[in-house]
Amino acid sequence: MNMEHVQIVDHAITSRHSVRAFLNQPVEQQLIKDILSVASRAPSGTNTQPWKVYVVTGQKRDEMVKRVCDAQIAVAQNPQLAAQYQETFAYYPKNWVSPFIDRRRENGWGLYGLLGIQKGDKEKMALQHLRNFQLFDAPVGLFFTTNKAMGIGSKMDISMMLQNVMIAAKARGLDTCPQAAWNHFHPIVLDIVGALDDEELVCGIALGYADPEHIINTFITPRVPVEEFAVFLG
């Protein structure tokens, strides 16, 4: 076992976290290509490789941010408009149970507390939620789709590819934030990127260089110990 290699890989994994404030610093296209090339080694059922990735930067990125932010603001002002923007698959459950709801609440209030957002301050909460659709100022948005003909397994395959993207990016000094929030606005996203009618949006990722001065990037979520989720048999 090469412990140096182990430490490098482990550090890339354990140092990765969802960054929610990025610098206005461009990312070279070749660097993005390198990350996607490495990430494409992710396993997929019978090697179907069911992913497609749209790399959105520059004016296209700004158009995406504006149109989706406008839609989110319109929905906030008139909730009836939300019917126009429904996820194609349910990322979260309709009915939450413990311990998952407890972890979700801990995560939310830990984040809001760091930002000085008090419980019940709906205006500040809405503004923070809007930051998702500003890509947290990241210069690159990655949008992952799969063909509608594929089964649920394709989303598992893409999830492994997503993890590879985030780890490969971290190893190259970049940071990321995986975002399911974009899924509600898939009609806008798919229109802007020019996706085909048979494509389904699975996830977005904000990619760029983390702002080291922003307090929000000090927020690191905890993990339960192995003994709490693993069962060793035999």
Side-chain angles (χ1 to χ4, degrees), residues 42-115:
S44 59
T46 62
N47 198 34
T48 51
Q49 304 173 65
W51 44 73
K52 191 169 184 178
V53 187
Y54 294 93
V55 181
V56 182
T57 60
Q59 292 182 347
K60 215 58 167 171
R61 173 216 176 273
D62 295 344
E63 179 189 356
M64 181 83 74
V65 167
K66 185 180 187 308
R67 284 183 59 182
V68 175
C69 281
D70 287 348
Q72 172 63 20
I73 291 169
V75 168
Q77 294 173 344
N78 182 4
Q80 291 183 342
L81 294 176
Q84 300 178 24
Y85 305 111
Q86 297 295 317
E87 296 173 301
T88 56
F89 66 95
Y91 184 90
Y92 293 113
K94 289 184 178 179
N95 300 307
W96 287 86
V97 297
S98 290
F100 314 111
I101 185 61
D102 308 308
R103 294 171 186 164
R104 177 181 171 89
R105 286 169 176 162
E106 178 186 28
N107 183 75
W109 290 120
L111 183 63
Y112 286 151
L114 195 65
L115 296 172

